mmCIF file of all heavy atoms in Angstrom:
data_model
loop_
_atom_site.group_PDB
_atom_site.id
_atom_site.type_symbol
_atom_site.label_atom_id
_atom_site.label_comp_id
_atom_site.label_asym_id
_atom_site.label_seq_id
_atom_site.Cartn_x
_atom_site.Cartn_y
_atom_site.Cartn_z
ATOM 1 N N PRO A 223 5.841 36.506 -9.333
ATOM 2 C CA PRO A 223 6.044 35.156 -9.897
ATOM 3 C C PRO A 223 7.086 35.131 -11.019
ATOM 4 O O PRO A 223 7.938 34.185 -11.154
ATOM 5 C CB PRO A 223 4.686 34.769 -10.479
ATOM 6 C CG PRO A 223 3.726 35.636 -9.666
ATOM 7 C CD PRO A 223 4.446 36.892 -9.461
ATOM 8 N N TRP A 224 7.136 36.178 -11.813
ATOM 9 C CA TRP A 224 8.085 36.251 -12.924
ATOM 10 C C TRP A 224 9.492 36.445 -12.423
ATOM 11 O O TRP A 224 10.483 35.880 -12.928
ATOM 12 C CB TRP A 224 7.702 37.384 -13.854
ATOM 13 C CG TRP A 224 6.284 37.292 -14.267
ATOM 14 C CD1 TRP A 224 5.233 38.025 -13.816
ATOM 15 C CD2 TRP A 224 5.707 36.331 -15.177
ATOM 16 N NE1 TRP A 224 4.042 37.668 -14.351
ATOM 17 C CE2 TRP A 224 4.278 36.595 -15.209
ATOM 18 C CE3 TRP A 224 6.210 35.340 -16.012
ATOM 19 C CZ2 TRP A 224 3.420 35.858 -16.022
ATOM 20 C CZ3 TRP A 224 5.379 34.571 -16.747
ATOM 21 C CH2 TRP A 224 3.989 34.887 -16.816
ATOM 22 N N LEU A 225 9.674 37.263 -11.354
ATOM 23 C CA LEU A 225 10.990 37.442 -10.731
ATOM 24 C C LEU A 225 11.393 36.138 -10.091
ATOM 25 O O LEU A 225 12.624 35.772 -10.092
ATOM 26 C CB LEU A 225 10.938 38.553 -9.711
ATOM 27 C CG LEU A 225 10.814 40.013 -10.259
ATOM 28 C CD1 LEU A 225 10.652 41.007 -9.123
ATOM 29 C CD2 LEU A 225 12.034 40.333 -11.135
ATOM 30 N N ALA A 226 10.462 35.393 -9.503
ATOM 31 C CA ALA A 226 10.793 34.059 -8.885
ATOM 32 C C ALA A 226 11.332 33.093 -9.950
ATOM 33 O O ALA A 226 12.359 32.430 -9.780
ATOM 34 C CB ALA A 226 9.608 33.465 -8.244
ATOM 35 N N GLY A 227 10.673 33.130 -11.122
ATOM 36 C CA GLY A 227 11.172 32.235 -12.229
ATOM 37 C C GLY A 227 12.561 32.722 -12.681
ATOM 38 O O GLY A 227 13.420 31.867 -12.960
ATOM 39 N N ALA A 228 12.741 34.031 -12.777
ATOM 40 C CA ALA A 228 14.057 34.547 -13.193
ATOM 41 C C ALA A 228 15.125 34.206 -12.123
ATOM 42 O O ALA A 228 16.277 33.813 -12.566
ATOM 43 C CB ALA A 228 14.037 36.039 -13.395
ATOM 44 N N LEU A 229 14.802 34.200 -10.872
ATOM 45 C CA LEU A 229 15.815 33.853 -9.876
ATOM 46 C C LEU A 229 16.162 32.395 -9.907
ATOM 47 O O LEU A 229 17.273 31.985 -9.797
ATOM 48 C CB LEU A 229 15.209 34.223 -8.480
ATOM 49 C CG LEU A 229 16.114 33.847 -7.272
ATOM 50 C CD1 LEU A 229 17.451 34.522 -7.358
ATOM 51 C CD2 LEU A 229 15.377 34.236 -5.913
ATOM 52 N N ALA A 230 15.099 31.552 -10.126
ATOM 53 C CA ALA A 230 15.374 30.131 -10.306
ATOM 54 C C ALA A 230 16.262 29.852 -11.440
ATOM 55 O O ALA A 230 17.291 29.027 -11.278
ATOM 56 C CB ALA A 230 14.067 29.291 -10.464
ATOM 57 N N LEU A 231 16.046 30.523 -12.504
ATOM 58 C CA LEU A 231 16.920 30.331 -13.724
ATOM 59 C C LEU A 231 18.307 30.851 -13.443
ATOM 60 O O LEU A 231 19.280 30.188 -13.851
ATOM 61 C CB LEU A 231 16.316 31.027 -14.937
ATOM 62 C CG LEU A 231 17.067 30.963 -16.226
ATOM 63 C CD1 LEU A 231 17.117 29.501 -16.666
ATOM 64 C CD2 LEU A 231 16.348 31.856 -17.319
ATOM 65 N N LEU A 232 18.430 32.006 -12.703
ATOM 66 C CA LEU A 232 19.757 32.483 -12.392
ATOM 67 C C LEU A 232 20.522 31.532 -11.610
ATOM 68 O O LEU A 232 21.783 31.357 -11.840
ATOM 69 C CB LEU A 232 19.549 33.881 -11.674
ATOM 70 C CG LEU A 232 20.891 34.596 -11.328
ATOM 71 C CD1 LEU A 232 21.609 35.007 -12.606
ATOM 72 C CD2 LEU A 232 20.556 35.831 -10.456
ATOM 73 N N VAL A 233 19.901 30.961 -10.591
ATOM 74 C CA VAL A 233 20.617 29.974 -9.676
ATOM 75 C C VAL A 233 21.030 28.734 -10.498
ATOM 76 O O VAL A 233 22.104 28.234 -10.257
ATOM 77 C CB VAL A 233 19.743 29.549 -8.503
ATOM 78 C CG1 VAL A 233 20.301 28.489 -7.712
ATOM 79 C CG2 VAL A 233 19.408 30.794 -7.657
#
Side-chain angles (χ1 to χ4, degrees):
W224 310 102
L225 289 175
L229 178 58
L231 182 60
L232 181 64
V233 173

